[in-house]
Amino acid sequence: MKRRAGVRNAVGKCVAVPRRKRDARKSLALAIFGARPAFAEQLHVGRPNIGNRGRFLARLNDILDRRWLTNRGQYVIELERRIARLAGARNCILVTNGTIGLELLIRALGLRGEVIVPAFTFVATAHALQWQEITPVFADIDRETHCLDPRSVEAAITPRTTGIIGVHLWGRPCAIDELSSLAGRHKLKLMFDAAHAFGCSHGGRMIGSFGEAEVFSFHATKIMHTFEGGAIVTNNDDLAEKLRLMQNFGFQGYDKVVYLGINGKMSEVSAAMGLTNLESLDEVIERNRANYRAYAKHLAELPGVKLFPYDDRHRSNYQYVVALVGDDAPLTRDELVTVLHTENVMARRYFYPGLHRMEPYRTYFPDAHRLLPRTEQVCREVLILPTGTSVTGNNVARICAVIRTAIEHAVPVRERLLRQGPPTP
Ligand code: T4K
């Protein structure tokens, strides 16, 4: 009896692969078969964008000449002013990094007990709560936006709930209107982790002015960076004043401490990098958009693989190129990651395996996955591909050629990977 031609996909279903492609292993130009890797050097997700080097160095010299290095110097003040304007918020408080920004805001808002967050986010969102002995309660996400599903949030509310942290994942705004009315009805504080969403909008309004406050990350890998850094933006002047004191040990003047505070200040050198990067933000977004379009073109009509869509009603920074490798794809996401890494394309599985499967949350909530079916699904599918100013259109074409070759020759590729042993990631 003739055997069916194909490979088993992620859910064990047989997916057809054309005969011509199944028998082509000898001519396959993939590094897993011994060919030269597609890239001589590793191509990373999150390679920092560097703005005008000359302007940064001039600012650096000025800082050294003036010997004012930190404690809200003129570059920090100037960057705060520009970010507040860009984000459409009255106040901006620059901080050491996004995680400290989240921690400060959580404390300044007086959150305690339980706070609802997605499990599909970077671990800092939950750690910022747990670090302060507040329990993060995981709600499921929407399959289309990868952000909190308001129905799942509502189902997670208990008498101990004091707040909700929405995350604008990949820079795509979460369900801001629904979450706002939910928070209003249940008298909960609503804040946003906007680490990915600098330069993005929700309808006609920039991300930065929603909820009680929003927090950006300016880590080196972000579209706009200050080496390490972050910002809290808010229209609430009292909250801003409190945050400013808390980030500087609680000092009000030289000798008077009025709050329990920490050191969450940004240095002048970081602010100088931020100002320099801000000047080229539009060019960086344009490059990201062009790369996104190139990926969309080159990956079109590939079985089981599609790009996470950005909603045209909102402005986006296109900082993440998110490919979704479905259960119907001839290769799994993890198999593709191994193929790409062998080609020196360091694709990432953000935010696998989901916070509910990481410590300490895995131990605290061993059954959480039962309540998070869409998080589980998306964690299996997401493949982040390199973009940014160090990635050219030719690079994108070559990365996509690797993916296409692997998918179209799934049978020999899988056989080879099985012989090779467990995947690298
Ligand atoms: N909330 C959300 C939703 C977040 O995504 C983040 C951070 C936060 C909160 C917290 O904000 P911060 O406290 O970090 O400001 C990276 C970043 O470290 C992290 O900031 C970011 N999210 C997350 C999505 O990505 P990793 O573990 O992937 O970083 P890493 O060091 O592996 O960098 C990625 C790649 O970038 C590397 O393989 C190489 C390349 N790279 C990296 C650095 C630092 C460079 O080429 N040059 C560099 O200087 O987490």
Side-chain angles (χ1 to χ4, degrees), residues 47-66:
R47 199 89 175 137
N49 300 308
I50 307 290
N52 186 311
R53 192 182 292 243
R55 277 196 219 146
F56 171 67
L57 292 175
R59 286 178 169 127
L60 185 57
N61 272 324
D62 182 48
I63 290 168
L64 297 178
D65 288 346
R66 286 186 304 100

Side-chain angles (χ1 to χ4, degrees), residues 73 277 368 385 421:
N277 275 326
L385 297 166

